[in-house]
Structure formats: C-alpha cells, structure tokens
Amino acid sequence: GIRKEKNATLTFTHYFDGVEFSELSLNGAHDFEFSNLSILSFRLWAVFNNSSAPFNHHAPVHSQNFKGFSGLSYHANRLIEFSSEYRFSVYQDYIYTGLYCDWALFRPEGLIISGVKGGVVAGPTVRILVYDQFEFTMYVGWDRLFPEGESRKNIKFRFARRW
C-alpha cells in the first residue's frame, strides 16, 4: 500500500573550489496513519545559502513540498517550505483522495521578484496505487504570492515506483 514516512535530515555543505560558500538544509517528513486508513502528512524543507552562493545552488520554490508557482522559475537562497496533506481511503489501500495546503517563505534571487515573499497553495489531491507498485498522484491547487496578492491555478501530476 501507500507507505508512511518518518525522517529528518540535516545537511551542512561547505564549497571551497572556486567560489567559497556554505549551504545548510533541513528535510523532514512525518506521516500519521489512522485506523480508517486515512493519513495525515507533514513535510518540511529549509535551505539557507550565504549570499555568495552561485545561482545554480539556489533552491527552486516549486517542489514536492510546495506545489505552487509552477512554471514561474522562482529560486531562493533562503527558503522554508511546509506541506500538510490529509488523505482518506476511498477503496482499501488503492485509491485515496484528500486536501493539501502548502506554505513557503523565501527570499527570491534573480530579476523577476525581490524582497521577502510568502506563498500558499491549497486544493484537492487524488492518489491511485497501480499493481501495488506504482503510484499516480494528482494535485489541483490555487496559489497566492504575498504581499503582492497574485494568484494562479496549478495542476501537478506524479507517477512513481513504490519500493
């Protein structure tokens, strides 16, 4: 069936060949399964680069933890994302549906936007387990960029092998 996750990883990397800079990242997940097969999931991702980090080391704001701003190419050298999702079983361990809500706080790099920004995206989700090995997931959501208040619709598909 759909696996539960429970993990945390803290990574510090210091780059010293060419441009010297440091990167600190925190990645964590915790799922709670209830007796009716429903699952409550929480995810956290944080990345902090010092200001001399080259652009290819800046973190993308659109990720598995924040499913908004797709196609906008926002990148940040300081980023915190929090994802929450509640899904319940429609048919045993094979079909789930539910709602998700993701938050992001970031300092973008590049020419598109600047300053400290926030984002939120929320909507329904569907997960289907195929042949007990493959998982198809679809997220539909509406995001909002703060403080500007700009809003967009998003749809994200994911097809993955489950081990």
Side-chain angles (χ1 to χ4, degrees):
I2 296 175
R3 309 246 193 284
K4 296 182 298 176
E5 289 189 53
K6 186 178 181 182
N7 61 64
T9 305
L10 178 65
T11 307
F12 175 78
T13 308
H14 183 76
Y15 297 88
F16 53 86
D17 188 23
V19 177
E20 188 169 347
F21 66 98
S22 299
E23 178 179 281
L24 180 67
S25 66
L26 174 64
N27 199 349
H30 198 291
D31 294 349
F32 300 93
E33 185 174 16
F34 302 104
S35 59
N36 63 353
L37 296 179
S38 62
I39 298 172
L40 180 61
S41 298
F42 297 105
R43 307 273 181 277
L44 174 70
W45 185 41
V47 176
F48 301 98
N49 289 320
N50 61 3
S51 60
S52 62
F55 183 77
N56 63 320
H57 283 273
H58 295 176
V61 175
H62 176 78
S63 68
Q64 287 186 354
N65 295 313
F66 185 79
K67 291 166 268 311
F69 306 150
S70 60
L72 292 179
S73 297
Y74 294 158
H75 287 75
N77 63 4
R78 286 177 172 62
L79 168 70
I80 298 174
E81 295 178 344
F82 179 76
S83 176
S84 59
E85 180 179 340
Y86 176 75
R87 54 191 182 269
F88 58 91
S89 174
V90 175
Y91 178 70
Q92 296 178 355
D93 222 11
Y94 298 102
I95 301 174
Y96 280 82
T97 189
L99 298 170
Y100 75 96
C101 186
D102 301 342
W103 298 270
L105 183 63
F106 60 101
R107 191 177 85 190
E109 291 294 321
L111 303 174
I112 301 172
I113 57 175
S114 62
V116 176
K117 304 293 181 190
V120 64
V121 60
T125 182
V126 174
R127 290 178 181 230
I128 300 170
L129 192 63
V130 181
Y131 295 120
D132 207 24
Q133 292 184 13
F134 301 97
E135 185 179 74
F136 172 76
T137 308
M138 181 177 73
Y139 294 95
V140 177
W142 294 265
D143 65 28
R144 183 168 294 271
L145 176 66
F146 296 104
E148 285 82 355
E150 298 172 10
S151 183
R152 298 174 28 126
K153 296 176 195 148
N154 294 283
I155 187 165
K156 181 176 182 175
F157 296 98
R158 181 172 169 259
F159 188 74
R161 164 98 191 216
R162 288 303 199 186
W163 302 99

